[in-house]
Amino acid sequence: MKKIFAIAWKDAIIRFASKTEWLFFIILPITFTFLVAGGIPSGDDDNRIRLLVVDEAQTSISQQIISELENSTAVRAEIVAREDAESQFDNRHASVVFIIPAGIDIESLQNGSAQVELLQQPNNLNATIAERAVLTAIRRVSSSISAAQNAVNVREAKQPFATEADKQTYFEDSLELAQSIREDTPERVTMIEGTTPDEIDYDPRTNTSAGQLITWVFIPLFGISALFASERQKGTLRRLLTTPSRKATFLLGTISGQVVLALIQMFLLVGFGIFAMKLGWGREPLPLFVILFTSALAAAAFGTTLGTFIKTAGQASGLSIMFGMLFAMLGGCMYPLELFPPAIQSAVRILPTTWAMEGMLDLGLRGGGLVDILPEAGVLLGFAVLFFTVGVLRFRYE
Amino acid sequence: MNKLLLIGIKDLKLMFRDRAALTFMLLAPFLLTLAMGFVTGRFSGGSTGISDIPVIIVNLDQGDLGNALEDLFNSEDLAELMEPSASSDPESARKLIESNEASATIIIPKGFTQSIIPAAGATFGQDYVEPEPIQIEVYTNPSSPTSAGIVKAVVDEFISRIEEGRTSGMPSFLQLMQSGLVDPQNIEAEAGTLFQIVEQPESNAIALTKNTEGADAVEFDLLSYFAPGIALMFLMYTVSYGGRSILAERAGGTLPRLMISPTQTAQVLGGKVLGIFFMGVVQVGILILASTTFFQVRWGDALGVIVLILAAVLGATGWGMLITAFARTPAQVANTGTIVMLIFSILGGSFISLENFPPFIQTISKITPIAWGLDGFTTLALGGTLPNLVEPVTALLIMGAVLFGIAVVLFNRNGLVQL
């Protein structure tokens, strides 16, 4: 036990001998979490898609369209001048711009010449969703005019109007009626977020916090391979052969030291999530510890196996960052898994990052408890057993 | 000039002998681009990754409108986007959401149709009372916000069309009643036509013209954004790797040897800078060639691509030199280079489009060659040509020149390239 502790302590001293290690250990993970989460509003913020609206018509019709957009649950209308909108669009700072040109009024709607314009960045999901919102808004405004026009046509078919003025009056009365019916329309759809035992509010930053935590903890754990390679290169592993220490003692000391450091790093990042980002990581401490511990074991085991395949510390360092980034991207740590094609969602289940992420989201978003994260924890333990077995079997002192 | 080239080419050769560095400079960005192709659905033919959204429909209404909504989710139009399944029990359907087995459950309550379309036999006389509204419940999975939002949008649009029909027919009917033009004997028949309009094509009183930038010229390829983003990220590593070689040569004693040869300090420094520049150009060039060959990424105007690569590498080289000027040992350059690479990758938009960031981050991103490079590569992917690249190319050239100037001042002050 003493030997194991001594080896773990020695590794910790070596790792933190350079001050830059602190950057990778805590400063960069927090910076990244802050930056990535900065692009995502919290649950309390208005997270609707920003829609730039250019109102050159300045008529009651354009006001009605804008009012409909302001009521939208999908977009947040921001009124700007055309020049500003086009500049933001050209610089790709805005994904969609809605232009209501001069001349959009009741008359233009009546004679069918009303035409509005939507500028969309190509292949942009936000622009596609905004398009649906704009279509809904203009259809709602159009529908009143169309209804009034329809009423005039129906009436004219039954009994022609005596004068044009009568016809116009009938149209205006019908329009008022249609607008009043539309305004009185009750809500017919209610959206309820999946309720959880503790009524957790959805906060998209939970995904970012979990993803960055896993990414920044897995990369140094994969870097255990560099520790082995470095000791092998320097010949210090060979020296161990001359001491009465077993292979298992060395491996256990190295791995347990890094796992403990990873757990400290995880708790610091979880603390940042709880105190700085007000995320609900502290709700279920025991299941959180289980999922973090099994994740750390799985990553450390992968690092151990990786260390038996490579020769130099330089290779190990590059490969651990490469695998860390790859696993993070494919495991849903950078982009939510729900955005992946279904086949890829299934395929990435071979990665420990996917299961670690799922476990974290079970706790952070779905309000799960110990029972809910047991499948993920079980799979992560399975990864740990598999990779440790391969790593130990392949481990050589030189 | 000959000496500059010799030093530069020597550094380039050394890079190709370092397998660990090559792994990070070429293999890592290639694999990350490959992964990006998979996760974005680029290799499965989709414009975005979202498809087959699992949605459960509980139709307790069984009326015309409830059935129409169920049919809509099972229609050919939504076949690729939605993967609907039916359930008769709201509670078990909600539990499937809580166990993360579906993105949303739509519960259409009993009597929904009749709350909008009055039952046969209802009269539209003075004592007509509009039925109590009954709401459809969209129960969403909080961990699939995008998919759930799309499901809600489809339901909203369906309801919007129903309301459009109701709003369209009602004024005609009420106005006719008020004008006394409806035969009391035919009230039911006249009212019956009220909601037929639901099935009519959507209103076109206001026409919407869509303008997707560059869509006519070239279809935008997601990898045309992410492939250069990742290549530019790893370019930051390459330039620091190159800078590291200056300090490594000093530590190894080869730099003083160069200095005692009839070679000027400026030539040595220039040769090293040229070496970094060569490494960057070769790295980005290989990555572009590989992604064109293996992933069929469309980069756009070839001349524009070449000029942009040269400018981006120059801008990045400036950063490489600056990092080297501040460092004392090769290990410091390596660490700082990796840190700068990672921070610039996020700030520059390598993984997340800058439009998703708040304005102050977008402004800060301008210090990175990645942001300017990506701006240029996106312009090219959208059909732009060399004249459209004036802004990013100028910014990158200025960045390279200014940073190089600062680095030279620091080199002189620190006596880096002196015996």
Side-chain angles (χ1 to χ4, degrees), chain B residues 170-190:
Chain B
M170 197 74 97
S172 302
F173 182 72
L174 294 177
Q175 283 279 73
L176 286 179
M177 286 249 300
Q178 211 170 2
S179 311
L181 292 172
V182 178
D183 181 353
Q185 303 297 319
N186 289 332
I187 283 182
E188 290 299 325
E190 297 267 7

mmCIF file of all heavy atoms in Angstrom, chain B residues 170-190:
data_model
loop_
_atom_site.group_PDB
_atom_site.id
_atom_site.type_symbol
_atom_site.label_atom_id
_atom_site.label_comp_id
_atom_site.label_asym_id
_atom_site.label_seq_id
_atom_site.Cartn_x
_atom_site.Cartn_y
_atom_site.Cartn_z
ATOM 1 N N MET B 170 -65.359 31.531 -40.777
ATOM 2 C CA MET B 170 -66.245 32.139 -39.789
ATOM 3 C C MET B 170 -66.736 33.544 -40.180
ATOM 4 O O MET B 170 -67.933 33.814 -40.100
ATOM 5 C CB MET B 170 -65.543 32.175 -38.426
ATOM 6 C CG MET B 170 -66.458 32.404 -37.261
ATOM 7 S SD MET B 170 -67.432 30.958 -36.872
ATOM 8 C CE MET B 170 -66.466 30.254 -35.559
ATOM 9 N N PRO B 171 -65.868 34.474 -40.598
ATOM 10 C CA PRO B 171 -66.369 35.812 -40.945
ATOM 11 C C PRO B 171 -67.397 35.779 -42.074
ATOM 12 O O PRO B 171 -68.400 36.502 -42.034
ATOM 13 C CB PRO B 171 -65.110 36.564 -41.378
ATOM 14 C CG PRO B 171 -63.995 35.846 -40.728
ATOM 15 C CD PRO B 171 -64.412 34.411 -40.699
ATOM 16 N N SER B 172 -67.160 34.924 -43.090
ATOM 17 C CA SER B 172 -68.118 34.839 -44.207
ATOM 18 C C SER B 172 -69.487 34.481 -43.668
ATOM 19 O O SER B 172 -70.501 35.117 -43.995
ATOM 20 C CB SER B 172 -67.702 33.747 -45.198
ATOM 21 O OG SER B 172 -66.440 34.000 -45.674
ATOM 22 N N PHE B 173 -69.458 33.467 -42.830
ATOM 23 C CA PHE B 173 -70.708 32.932 -42.325
ATOM 24 C C PHE B 173 -71.421 33.948 -41.421
ATOM 25 O O PHE B 173 -72.613 34.235 -41.580
ATOM 26 C CB PHE B 173 -70.418 31.640 -41.550
ATOM 27 C CG PHE B 173 -71.645 30.968 -41.030
ATOM 28 C CD1 PHE B 173 -72.525 30.323 -41.886
ATOM 29 C CD2 PHE B 173 -71.949 31.001 -39.680
ATOM 30 C CE1 PHE B 173 -73.657 29.713 -41.394
ATOM 31 C CE2 PHE B 173 -73.078 30.399 -39.186
ATOM 32 C CZ PHE B 173 -73.939 29.744 -40.044
ATOM 33 N N LEU B 174 -70.678 34.534 -40.481
ATOM 34 C CA LEU B 174 -71.291 35.471 -39.531
ATOM 35 C C LEU B 174 -71.772 36.736 -40.247
ATOM 36 O O LEU B 174 -72.832 37.280 -39.917
ATOM 37 C CB LEU B 174 -70.307 35.822 -38.418
ATOM 38 C CG LEU B 174 -69.934 34.651 -37.488
ATOM 39 C CD1 LEU B 174 -68.900 35.089 -36.451
ATOM 40 C CD2 LEU B 174 -71.163 34.098 -36.781
ATOM 41 N N GLN B 175 -70.995 37.175 -41.223
ATOM 42 C CA GLN B 175 -71.403 38.366 -41.974
ATOM 43 C C GLN B 175 -72.676 38.103 -42.769
ATOM 44 O O GLN B 175 -73.567 38.948 -42.836
ATOM 45 C CB GLN B 175 -70.279 38.798 -42.937
ATOM 46 C CG GLN B 175 -69.121 39.513 -42.272
ATOM 47 C CD GLN B 175 -69.404 40.986 -42.011
ATOM 48 O OE1 GLN B 175 -70.195 41.304 -41.108
ATOM 49 N NE2 GLN B 175 -68.815 41.865 -42.785
ATOM 50 N N LEU B 176 -72.766 36.921 -43.353
ATOM 51 C CA LEU B 176 -73.972 36.564 -44.118
ATOM 52 C C LEU B 176 -75.165 36.496 -43.183
ATOM 53 O O LEU B 176 -76.268 36.951 -43.517
ATOM 54 C CB LEU B 176 -73.781 35.213 -44.816
ATOM 55 C CG LEU B 176 -72.869 35.182 -46.049
ATOM 56 C CD1 LEU B 176 -72.770 33.767 -46.612
ATOM 57 C CD2 LEU B 176 -73.362 36.128 -47.133
ATOM 58 N N MET B 177 -74.932 35.921 -42.003
ATOM 59 C CA MET B 177 -76.025 35.819 -41.013
ATOM 60 C C MET B 177 -76.518 37.216 -40.651
ATOM 61 O O MET B 177 -77.716 37.485 -40.600
ATOM 62 C CB MET B 177 -75.497 35.123 -39.745
ATOM 63 C CG MET B 177 -75.274 33.645 -39.890
ATOM 64 S SD MET B 177 -76.423 32.647 -38.957
ATOM 65 C CE MET B 177 -76.151 33.160 -37.297
ATOM 66 N N GLN B 178 -75.518 38.115 -40.429
ATOM 67 C CA GLN B 178 -75.867 39.477 -40.011
ATOM 68 C C GLN B 178 -76.607 40.213 -41.115
ATOM 69 O O GLN B 178 -77.498 41.009 -40.855
ATOM 70 C CB GLN B 178 -74.582 40.229 -39.682
ATOM 71 C CG GLN B 178 -74.784 41.267 -38.612
ATOM 72 C CD GLN B 178 -73.437 41.817 -38.135
ATOM 73 O OE1 GLN B 178 -72.383 41.445 -38.621
ATOM 74 N NE2 GLN B 178 -73.502 42.703 -37.163
ATOM 75 N N SER B 179 -76.239 39.899 -42.373
ATOM 76 C CA SER B 179 -76.895 40.559 -43.505
ATOM 77 C C SER B 179 -78.230 39.903 -43.833
ATOM 78 O O SER B 179 -78.911 40.333 -44.765
ATOM 79 C CB SER B 179 -76.002 40.494 -44.746
ATOM 80 O OG SER B 179 -74.713 40.893 -44.445
ATOM 81 N N GLY B 180 -78.554 38.848 -43.121
ATOM 82 C CA GLY B 180 -79.810 38.137 -43.374
ATOM 83 C C GLY B 180 -79.806 37.382 -44.692
ATOM 84 O O GLY B 180 -80.853 37.158 -45.302
ATOM 85 N N LEU B 181 -78.624 36.993 -45.142
ATOM 86 C CA LEU B 181 -78.549 36.313 -46.441
ATOM 87 C C LEU B 181 -78.454 34.789 -46.287
ATOM 88 O O LEU B 181 -78.228 34.090 -47.262
ATOM 89 C CB LEU B 181 -77.339 36.818 -47.225
ATOM 90 C CG LEU B 181 -77.447 38.270 -47.686
ATOM 91 C CD1 LEU B 181 -76.143 38.752 -48.285
ATOM 92 C CD2 LEU B 181 -78.584 38.430 -48.696
ATOM 93 N N VAL B 182 -78.577 34.310 -45.043
ATOM 94 C CA VAL B 182 -78.554 32.858 -44.854
ATOM 95 C C VAL B 182 -79.964 32.386 -44.554
ATOM 96 O O VAL B 182 -80.627 32.911 -43.656
ATOM 97 C CB VAL B 182 -77.620 32.464 -43.691
ATOM 98 C CG1 VAL B 182 -77.640 30.949 -43.477
ATOM 99 C CG2 VAL B 182 -76.209 32.940 -43.966
ATOM 100 N N ASP B 183 -80.362 31.424 -45.324
ATOM 101 C CA ASP B 183 -81.687 30.850 -45.120
ATOM 102 C C ASP B 183 -81.654 30.028 -43.826
ATOM 103 O O ASP B 183 -80.827 29.120 -43.700
ATOM 104 C CB ASP B 183 -82.010 29.940 -46.313
ATOM 105 C CG ASP B 183 -83.406 29.328 -46.183
ATOM 106 O OD1 ASP B 183 -84.027 29.520 -45.113
ATOM 107 O OD2 ASP B 183 -83.810 28.644 -47.141
ATOM 108 N N PRO B 184 -82.510 30.372 -42.829
ATOM 109 C CA PRO B 184 -82.474 29.633 -41.563
ATOM 110 C C PRO B 184 -82.573 28.122 -41.763
ATOM 111 O O PRO B 184 -82.042 27.352 -40.969
ATOM 112 C CB PRO B 184 -83.696 30.161 -40.811
ATOM 113 C CG PRO B 184 -83.963 31.503 -41.409
ATOM 114 C CD PRO B 184 -83.547 31.419 -42.825
ATOM 115 N N GLN B 185 -83.262 27.702 -42.840
ATOM 116 C CA GLN B 185 -83.385 26.268 -43.094
ATOM 117 C C GLN B 185 -82.037 25.632 -43.463
ATOM 118 O O GLN B 185 -81.849 24.433 -43.330
ATOM 119 C CB GLN B 185 -84.369 26.011 -44.267
ATOM 120 C CG GLN B 185 -85.772 26.600 -44.054
ATOM 121 C CD GLN B 185 -86.461 25.966 -42.851
ATOM 122 O OE1 GLN B 185 -86.368 24.759 -42.651
ATOM 123 N NE2 GLN B 185 -87.123 26.784 -42.034
ATOM 124 N N ASN B 186 -81.131 26.506 -43.987
ATOM 125 C CA ASN B 186 -79.857 25.952 -44.501
ATOM 126 C C ASN B 186 -78.655 26.243 -43.609
ATOM 127 O O ASN B 186 -77.504 26.117 -44.049
ATOM 128 C CB ASN B 186 -79.560 26.533 -45.893
ATOM 129 C CG ASN B 186 -80.515 25.981 -46.922
ATOM 130 O OD1 ASN B 186 -81.010 24.859 -46.772
ATOM 131 N ND2 ASN B 186 -80.793 26.782 -47.938
ATOM 132 N N ILE B 187 -78.936 26.662 -42.382
ATOM 133 C CA ILE B 187 -77.813 27.041 -41.512
ATOM 134 C C ILE B 187 -76.806 25.902 -41.368
ATOM 135 O O ILE B 187 -75.590 26.097 -41.500
ATOM 136 C CB ILE B 187 -78.328 27.481 -40.112
ATOM 137 C CG1 ILE B 187 -78.889 28.896 -40.208
ATOM 138 C CG2 ILE B 187 -77.214 27.433 -39.079
ATOM 139 C CD1 ILE B 187 -79.369 29.464 -38.899
ATOM 140 N N GLU B 188 -77.300 24.697 -41.142
ATOM 141 C CA GLU B 188 -76.396 23.549 -40.949
ATOM 142 C C GLU B 188 -75.527 23.316 -42.179
ATOM 143 O O GLU B 188 -74.320 23.104 -42.079
ATOM 144 C CB GLU B 188 -77.189 22.273 -40.640
ATOM 145 C CG GLU B 188 -77.851 22.271 -39.276
ATOM 146 C CD GLU B 188 -76.851 22.384 -38.138
ATOM 147 O OE1 GLU B 188 -75.743 21.829 -38.268
ATOM 148 O OE2 GLU B 188 -77.154 23.077 -37.159
ATOM 149 N N ALA B 189 -76.193 23.371 -43.352
ATOM 150 C CA ALA B 189 -75.451 23.107 -44.596
ATOM 151 C C ALA B 189 -74.393 24.180 -44.831
ATOM 152 O O ALA B 189 -73.255 23.895 -45.210
ATOM 153 C CB ALA B 189 -76.430 23.063 -45.772
ATOM 154 N N GLU B 190 -74.796 25.456 -44.580
ATOM 155 C CA GLU B 190 -73.842 26.561 -44.782
ATOM 156 C C GLU B 190 -72.662 26.415 -43.795
ATOM 157 O O GLU B 190 -71.504 26.592 -44.158
ATOM 158 C CB GLU B 190 -74.531 27.907 -44.531
ATOM 159 C CG GLU B 190 -75.667 28.206 -45.492
ATOM 160 C CD GLU B 190 -75.212 29.001 -46.700
ATOM 161 O OE1 GLU B 190 -73.993 29.197 -46.840
ATOM 162 O OE2 GLU B 190 -76.075 29.387 -47.509
#
